[in-house]
Amino acid sequence: MSVITDVRFRRIFDSRGRETLEATVETARGFRGTAGGPSGESTGTHEVQAFPKGGVTEAMATAARDLRPALVARDVADQAGFDAKLHEVDGTENFSRIGGNTATALSLAAALAHAAEDGRTLAESLGAAAHPSQWPAVVGNCLNGGRHAIGGPDIQEFHAYAPDATPLEEVRAAIAVHRAVGEAIHKAYPTLALGRGDEGGWVAPIGNIEALEILTAACASVRDTTKLPVYPGLDLAASEFYSDGKYRYKDRTLDSDGQVAFVAELVDRYDLRYVEDPFDQEAFGPFAQLTAAVGSKCLVVGDDIYTTKRSRLGRGIAEKSSNAILIKVNQVGTLTDTLATVALAKANGMATVTSHRSGDLPEGWLAHVAVAFGSAGLKCGLLGGERVAKLNELLRLGGATEAPH
Ligand code: PGA
Ligand code: ZN
């Protein structure tokens, strides 16, 4: 048994410059794990609450007063017991007393400390094969809209989806698409000052269809030059523009059936291989209609609809709502809760895509959990230190070393 001797908390900043909290777990043998809690902007209604009412200040005070004494002297190898203790001390349904970000930071810090004790990577410690036969596809944000980019398209994220290659090839292909998208926008609007959104994708005052045309052409040109499979994908984050039973785009308003037909047509026309949250977060039925229509050729991914919750995934499985689920640890707050959802997905043949948040941190643990979960995708953006940290960690796991010359 290796005992936890100290638990500390620190106020830090995320990639949007907002305050969050990081935790350090230290063991008797002097090993440490440190992790922070990332934050979403287009959060799902069913996520745990990131911070208590009093924000980071209250989270820090509660953690020091109530959590530290409950966690010191525990066995660091007992992740399930550690995570259960977080729930016990919190005592609410949604971590609203200690804060979901406190729980996430602690759960990951404990897992990292345990891995360090054993001299293993987090991925190995969580059960990943030393040489996985299949690496997660890189799902990388090339163009931002919605709540992640002021003045951009209504659709929140335009992705390069790069599967079925080595981590290095996937990262290269996805970044090449990002670059080609930037060049295409610059060519179409030579005097426009181009910026980047919260997840590192380009921001430009263009519509959804124009953005898709540019993305699709960029993917095709990268496929041509690299011979690597890289295809367009979307996260519509449709709950953000759904109200009173309608999907309200700047240039069109669609009812539920209209939205099913519109998205199915986009999948066909642009050969989309990845479509996330094309419907409102309660729309299990329309999700199932789309999955029946395009699920054989495209990952239909549920994010806000499931919020990584086992019970909501259970409903999605029963109703055949999607063929994939997005996994974000801080939507449920602990590794143990996340693992339970991943296990249910696996048992039912549903793919998992492990994901960052729009307000993230320059930490690499996400790549480890994606590999350990056997995820079909790692969705972590492409540019910006907090995104590159995860891609580079995937490369380290992928053994991308080159002989000296
Ligand atoms: P969020 O966005 O982190 O702001 O929730 C990411 C996503 O919707 O996938
Ligand atoms: Zn999403």
Side-chain angles (χ1 to χ4, degrees):
M1 162 151 162
S2 180
V3 164
I4 295 172
T5 48
D6 199 8
V7 178
R8 292 189 297 277
F9 304 93
R10 185 172 296 107
R11 189 188 300 257
I12 58 168
F13 292 88
D14 71 18
S15 56
R16 265 192 293 253
R18 293 187 192 157
E19 291 189 2
T20 185
L21 165 153
E22 86 174 6
T24 296
V25 169
E26 194 169 314
T27 67
R29 286 165 56 211
F31 289 95
R32 265 186 219 121
T34 295
S39 294
E41 176 69 18
S42 62
T43 48
T45 308
H46 302 281
E47 295 190 24
V48 298
Q49 195 175 311
F51 298 105
K53 274 210 182 72
V56 178
T57 301
E58 185 182 335
M60 298 272 290
T62 307
R65 187 187 60 234
D66 299 339
L67 282 167
R68 190 178 177 281
L71 299 173
V72 166
R74 294 194 60 85
D75 179 1
V76 76
D78 177 16
Q79 184 78 41
F82 184 98
D83 290 341
K85 200 71 183 171
L86 300 180
H87 280 291
E88 187 190 314
V89 172
D90 177 77
T92 71
E93 281 286 291
N94 62 349
F95 278 128
S96 57
R97 200 170 86 77
I98 68 167
N101 272 28
T102 310
T104 302
L106 276 167
S107 191
L108 264 301
L112 286 162
H114 177 221
E117 279 256 345
D118 288 355
R120 303 202 286 181
T121 65
L122 179 63
E124 290 164 351
S125 179
L126 294 175
H131 302 287
S133 54
Q134 177 109 26
W135 292 96
V138 166
V139 186
N141 204 332
C142 294
L143 222 153
N144 291 181
R147 289 174 75 115
H148 295 168
I150 298 161
D154 318 286
I155 291 177
Q156 183 176 281
E157 300 165 21
F158 296 78
H159 288 281
Y161 170 72
D164 301 329
T166 66
L168 183 60
E169 289 169 332
E170 291 179 357
V171 172
R172 268 193 180 145
I175 288 180
V177 173
H178 186 288
R179 187 173 305 125
V181 165
E183 285 166 5
I185 298 171
H186 184 61
K187 205 167 158 200
Y189 302 94
T191 58
L192 199 73
L194 273 184
R196 292 207 263 115
D198 285 358
E199 293 185 349
W202 299 107
V203 180
I206 57 177
N208 297 316
I209 300 301
E210 192 181 359
L212 254 175
E213 297 277 349
I214 288 172
L215 176 69
T216 305
C219 288
S221 88
V222 172
R223 275 200 308 277
D224 268 5
T225 49
T226 64
K227 310 293 172 218
L228 292 168
V230 59
Y231 294 93
L234 297 177
D235 178 1
L236 285 90
S239 297
E240 301 295 331
F241 53 88
Y242 178 80
S243 64
D244 301 326
K246 296 272 197 306
Y247 295 91
R248 299 175 194 279
Y249 299 89
K250 288 189 197 92
D251 63 348
R252 71 191 80 197
T253 299
L254 300 173
D255 64 9
S256 181
D257 285 346
Q259 177 76 349
V260 174
F262 176 57
V263 178
E265 196 206 318
L266 294 182
V267 171
D268 285 340
R269 184 160 14 122
Y270 296 104
D271 198 9
L272 303 180
R273 304 292 172 102
Y274 181 101
V275 174
E276 182 181 328
D277 279 0
F279 305 103
D280 175 61
Q281 60 200 327
E282 306 301 337
F284 285 84
F287 255 95
Q289 282 175 265
L290 183 73
T291 302
V294 305
S296 60
K297 57 185 173 187
C298 177
L299 280 182
V300 178
V301 187
D303 173 13
D304 291 348
I305 188 172
Y306 299 134
T307 57
T308 315
K309 261 194 162 162
R310 197 175 180 282
S311 56
R312 291 189 64 88
L313 174 61
R315 181 170 168 199
I317 289 166
E319 297 192 26
K320 298 187 168 44
S321 295
S322 70
N323 57 18
I325 174 175
L326 203 75
I327 299 292
K328 293 167 167 169
V329 178
N330 79 325
Q331 284 182 326
V332 282
T334 71
L335 262 178
T336 304
D337 289 281
T338 307
L339 280 164
T341 303
V342 168
L344 182 65
K346 269 195 185 153
N348 288 278
M350 196 183 280
T352 63
V353 176
T354 300
S355 170
H356 65 168
R357 300 309 303 250
S358 51
D360 217 296
L361 298 159
E363 299 177 353
W365 55 259
L366 197 77
H368 290 251
V369 299
V371 171
F373 294 164
S375 285
L378 169 64
K379 184 192 181 205
C380 70
L382 295 169
L383 296 197
E386 74 283 4
R387 318 290 157 191
V388 171
K390 294 157 183 60
L391 295 175
N392 285 348
E393 200 62 19
L394 184 69
L395 299 184
R396 289 180 195 110
L397 287 170
T401 51
E402 286 167 40
H405 49 161

Coordinates of all heavy atoms in Angstrom, one line a residue, residues 42 156-157 235 237 276-277 303-304 326 328 379, ligand 2:
S42 N -19.8 25.9 -24.1 CA -21.1 25.4 -24.5 C -21.4 24.1 -23.7 O -21.5 23.0 -24.2 CB -21.1 25.1 -26.0 OG -20.2 24.1 -26.3
Q156 N -20.4 25.4 -34.5 CA -19.4 25.7 -33.5 C -18.0 25.3 -34.0 O -17.0 26.0 -33.8 CB -19.7 25.1 -32.2 CG -18.7 25.4 -31.1 CD -19.2 24.8 -29.7 OE1 -20.0 25.3 -29.1 NE2 -18.6 23.6 -29.3
E157 N -17.9 24.1 -34.6 CA -16.5 23.6 -34.9 C -16.5 22.9 -36.2 O -17.3 22.0 -36.5 CB -16.1 22.6 -33.8 CG -16.1 23.2 -32.4 CD -16.0 22.2 -31.3 OE1 -15.6 21.0 -31.5 OE2 -16.4 22.6 -30.2
D235 N -18.7 19.7 -35.3 CA -19.5 19.7 -34.1 C -20.5 20.9 -34.1 O -20.0 22.1 -34.1 CB -18.6 19.9 -32.8 CG -19.4 20.0 -31.5 OD1 -20.6 19.8 -31.6 OD2 -18.7 20.1 -30.5
A237 N -22.9 21.6 -32.1 CA -23.3 22.2 -30.7 C -24.7 22.8 -30.9 O -24.9 23.9 -30.5 CB -22.3 23.1 -30.2
E276 N -20.9 15.8 -34.7 CA -21.2 15.8 -33.3 C -22.3 16.8 -33.0 O -22.4 17.8 -33.6 CB -19.9 16.3 -32.5 CG -20.0 16.3 -31.0 CD -18.7 16.8 -30.4 OE1 -17.6 16.6 -30.9 OE2 -18.8 17.5 -29.3
D277 N -23.2 16.4 -32.0 CA -24.3 17.2 -31.5 C -25.0 17.9 -32.7 O -25.2 19.2 -32.6 CB -23.8 18.2 -30.5 CG -23.6 17.6 -29.1 OD1 -23.9 16.4 -29.0 OD2 -23.2 18.3 -28.2
D303 N -22.5 14.5 -27.5 CA -21.7 15.2 -26.5 C -22.7 15.7 -25.4 O -22.9 15.1 -24.4 CB -20.9 16.4 -27.1 CG -20.2 17.3 -26.1 OD1 -20.2 16.9 -24.9 OD2 -19.8 18.4 -26.5
D304 N -23.4 16.9 -25.7 CA -24.3 17.5 -24.7 C -25.5 16.5 -24.4 O -26.0 16.6 -23.3 CB -24.9 18.8 -25.2 CG -23.8 19.9 -25.3 OD1 -22.7 19.7 -24.7 OD2 -24.1 20.9 -25.9
L326 N -19.0 11.2 -27.0 CA -17.9 12.1 -26.6 C -17.7 11.9 -25.1 O -18.6 11.9 -24.3 CB -18.2 13.6 -26.9 CG -16.9 14.4 -27.1 CD1 -16.3 14.1 -28.4 CD2 -17.2 15.9 -27.0
K328 N -15.8 13.4 -21.8 CA -15.1 14.5 -21.1 C -15.2 14.2 -19.6 O -16.2 14.2 -19.1 CB -15.8 15.8 -21.4 CG -15.8 16.3 -22.9 CD -16.8 17.5 -23.1 CE -16.6 18.2 -24.4 NZ -17.7 19.1 -24.7
K379 N -10.1 14.2 -29.5 CA -10.5 15.5 -30.0 C -9.9 16.6 -29.1 O -10.3 16.7 -27.9 CB -12.1 15.6 -29.9 CG -12.7 16.9 -30.4 CD -14.1 17.0 -30.0 CE -14.7 18.2 -30.6 NZ -15.9 18.7 -29.8
Ligands
ZN2 ZN -19.4 19.2 -28.5

